[in-house]
Amino acid sequence: MTLTLVGLSHRGTPVAVRERAFVPLPQAAELAAALAEQGEAVCLSTCNRTELYVVGEDADRRALAVLESISGLAGDELRAVVYRLADEAAALHLFRVAAGLDSLVPGEGEILGQVRSAFDAGATGPVLDRLFRQALHAGKKVRAETAIAESPASVSSAAAALARQVFGRLDECRVLLVGAGHVAELAARSLAARGASIAFVANRSPQRAADLASAFGGEGTGLDRVPAVLGEVDVVVSSTGAPGWVLRHDEVEAALDGRKGRPLFLIDLAVPRDLDPAIHELGACYLYDIDDLESVVAAGLAGRRREAARAEGIVAGEAERFREWHASRDVVPEIASLRTGASCAVPSTYGLISRPCPCVTSLRPVSRPALVMRETPWFRAHPIQMLFSFLREIVRDTLIPHVSLFGLKFSVRNGISTSKLHPVLVRCTRSFQMPSHCRF
Amino acid sequence: MAEYLFGFAFLAYAGAAIAYAVDARRPGPAGRAATWGVRLGWLLQTALLVEEAARADGFPWSTWAGSLNLFVWLVVSVYLVWGCRTRYRLLGLAVMPVAAGLLVLARLGGGIGEGGTSGYSNTFLIVHVGLLSFAFAAFTLAAALSGLYLWQERRLKSRRPAALLGRAPSLLTLETLTSRTIAVALPALTAGIVAGLVRLRDQGASVDALMAVTFGTWAVYGSYLVLRYEAGWHGRRAAYLALVGFAFVVVARLGLQVGHFS
């Protein structure tokens, strides 16, 4: 059965359509269950994409109909933004998605969790189970073997990354926010999410400072107390609208005496700047302004794009592994057929095989055909392994639709080149030569 | 056998050094290969030392070159304690070329062959040479950590965006590791010196230049710990002081080898 992907994403679909097509996780589970009536289905829905992975009869049409109903787009309108992929192309796409290579910010980490959630909520069978497990593996492998996820991709993550270069873990870092506006709040949330504690919020309006401080369990204070609390914090984030310096070089220098050499990390997000640039010249002080952070982000994104090229190689390798596995599944009916045929043939050779024979490992009298099968290792394993490798070779480079061998018809999806088939057939038929007294 | 073990250990260390250099430019599989190179080299050198110990009639590393061989093994051993972590690969770039170079120096000085004969007892040599070699190996690691600290600090001060991104340990981590390494090594140095002084008093001999340098080393690292924990010395000052101490180690280790144990 064919693996089909039907979806839409931030590449070519406006946000107004994407938000309509977004499916929350509980509904995604129901949707997958409904789609998987005669097969398997997973619905992956994030703010950037909604994708339906379906295995089964008429999967493409059914998935498209579902996408049409949830996005509210009519036929042609939907076809203009939707993409449809099958088999290996669909697998490669999912591997790229899981690795973060199809994200707005290459290598972003959230998508891997979203793929896992979609997988958990999906109605999976052998194909989609294998596909999603391998996609999660590919995503982890890319993040482990490349630096794609290491560079900061936003100003707040750049500030946190720089702070980590000074302090290591931020768990024990105490933060002073100077200014209580939206920017300060965002920075505070970013640092708090990474383990830092917001100890003080200083603002021109003490009430606003107290309000924001209480949200983070800190203490609100006036701007005049900023130099006094410098000795008690490790990180200072400033974002006021003040026209002059909020913190001068000499004030910080005086505060350093009480810090016993512990570094002080300062982020100035304000324009015009709040913090005297000369502070950076002090021994244990590291001051970065908004330009520094933005250039770090730009360098980080460039680094992510460089690493993305390496990640594509890893993902392509995983896609090839999936393709081989998927191709080998085509052989399963033929293997079953071979087993059945062999089982039927065994009774006719039953009398012959009880005589001494080099391919029979035991000379004990055999009483049942099943025992004949079990007692003959060549019979049990060799032809089946040969068939697998044989059909893998055929599927790799193919022109004709099917091959008949030993009275069994082997379906090959894309055909086979006869010139390439010949040596393979010769080798394969030779290996199927059985001793005359064991032939069936 | 010793020659083969030396050759393969050297190749593993040198290969690890090259792989660390590649990893510094482009993090990835080279870093893992480097770590395995260090592990393999360490195992081979351990086998070399065991083979030497089995072959020798007495303490096998009593010569200058022999003790240098032991010293290299100790440096790599201490490095392996935390050097396998991804963030410390830059430390490997500093340590492994030195280890490979010193191993060759030990080989050229005859430290891989027969152990020298000494008038001192094995127990004394094990205590004295063993403890001093361990302390010097740890001080070497502390110096590498301090060098890495100064490099990292310079990067953060430079504000160049490309320099601000990368896999390096944080300043606080490097500082803490340096001081802990010195805090562990200084008692070993002290015990080694005391063992030497006891022997010196029994023989009624006088202090030679190597001993004077060793006392200097002890004084510098002792000052480091006092200033670090009592006077609050941190950052660049502490890193420079650790490097000054290492200069004494280099002089003691390489500069004054003239038959101290023979």
Side-chain angles (χ1 to χ4, degrees), chain A residues 343-391:
Chain A
S343 301
C344 296
V346 163
S348 65
T349 60
Y350 176 55
L352 295 171
I353 209 162
S354 59
R355 289 184 296 176
C357 166
C359 23
V360 179
T361 54
S362 164
L363 297 180
R364 283 176 295 152
V366 277
S367 57
R368 298 198 311 271
L371 193 59
V372 177
M373 299 278 285
R374 204 173 66 219
E375 292 285 319
T376 314
W378 184 91
F379 197 104
R380 190 173 61 232
H382 192 63
I384 291 166
Q385 285 174 359
M386 280 304 299
L387 276 172
F388 266 115
S389 61
F390 164 64
L391 283 172

Side-chain angles (χ1 to χ4, degrees), chain B residues 30-49:
Chain B
R32 285 194 299 281
T35 306
W36 281 107
V38 178
R39 287 171 177 158
L40 180 65
W42 182 85
L43 284 174
L44 289 164
Q45 201 189 356
T46 306
L48 172 65
L49 295 178

Side-chain angles (χ1 to χ4, degrees), chain B residues 13-245:
Chain B
Y13 286 161
I18 292 166
Y20 275 130
V22 173
D23 185 67
R25 288 183 62 83
R26 188 158 195 171
R32 285 194 299 281
T35 306
W36 281 107
V38 178
R39 287 171 177 158
L40 180 65
W42 182 85
L43 284 174
L44 289 164
Q45 201 189 356
T46 306
L48 172 65
L49 295 178
V50 169
E51 198 262 356
E52 282 181 325
R55 187 160 36 98
D57 181 24
F59 187 68
W61 306 293
S62 58
T63 63
W64 170 79
S67 68
L68 190 60
N69 185 15
L70 179 66
F71 171 74
V72 170
W73 181 81
L74 285 166
V75 168
V76 179
S77 305
V78 178
Y79 168 71
L80 275 175
V81 173
W82 65 77
C84 298
R85 297 184 206 164
T86 309
R87 283 197 167 265
Y88 290 93
R89 283 179 182 161
L90 281 170
L91 188 63
L93 185 56
V95 169
M96 292 322 294
V98 175
L102 291 180
L103 193 61
V104 170
L105 209 56
R107 163 73 184 79
L108 295 176
I112 310 301
E114 294 290 329
T117 53
S118 173
Y120 294 96
S121 74
N122 285 341
T123 311
F124 166 71
L125 285 171
I126 288 167
V127 172
H128 183 61
V129 178
L131 287 172
L132 286 185
S133 295
F134 168 74
F136 285 172
F139 290 145
T140 304
L141 256 295
L145 288 165
S146 296
L148 196 55
Y149 176 92
L150 291 171
W151 174 82
Q152 168 79 329
E153 205 256 355
R154 197 182 170 89
R155 285 170 75 226
L156 287 169
K157 283 286 184 188
S158 76
R159 285 178 166 167
R160 280 183 293 114
L164 294 173
L165 303 166
R167 298 176 177 186
S170 71
L171 290 179
L172 273 191
T173 309
L174 287 168
E175 205 173 15
T176 308
L177 279 177
T178 305
S179 57
R180 283 183 188 167
T181 306
I182 291 172
V184 169
L186 194 64
L189 179 68
T190 310
I193 289 174
V194 168
L197 286 175
V198 169
R199 167 62 66 171
L200 199 68
R201 194 194 60 190
D202 291 350
Q203 291 191 331
S206 59
V207 173
D208 64 13
L210 177 60
M211 293 174 201
V213 174
T214 311
F215 293 147
T217 309
W218 185 89
V220 172
Y221 283 112
S223 311
Y224 175 95
L225 290 181
V226 171
L227 291 168
R228 170 85 166 81
Y229 291 106
E230 295 299 324
W233 268 39
H234 285 265
R236 255 180 285 182
R237 277 190 304 184
Y240 282 130
L241 190 55
L243 289 176
V244 169

Side-chain angles (χ1 to χ4, degrees), chain A residues 144-147 150-152 162 164-168 260-263 277 279-283 285-288 292 295-296 299-300 306-307 310, chain B residues 26-29 32 87 149 152-153 155-159 161-173 175 230-236:
Chain A
E145 293 187 6
T146 70
E150 287 182 6
S151 311
L162 288 174
R164 274 202 294 260
Q165 299 244 11
V166 175
F167 298 106
K260 289 196 168 181
R262 188 170 168 81
I279 293 170
H280 192 63
E281 307 304 323
L282 292 168
C285 291
Y286 304 90
L287 167 62
Y288 301 93
D292 295 325
S295 55
V296 167
R306 272 197 307 277
E307 289 299 301
R310 289 176 61 204
Chain B
R26 188 158 195 171
R32 285 194 299 281
R87 283 197 167 265
Y149 176 92
Q152 168 79 329
E153 205 256 355
R155 285 170 75 226
L156 287 169
K157 283 286 184 188
S158 76
R159 285 178 166 167
L164 294 173
L165 303 166
R167 298 176 177 186
S170 71
L171 290 179
L172 273 191
T173 309
E175 205 173 15
E230 295 299 324
W233 268 39
H234 285 265
R236 255 180 285 182

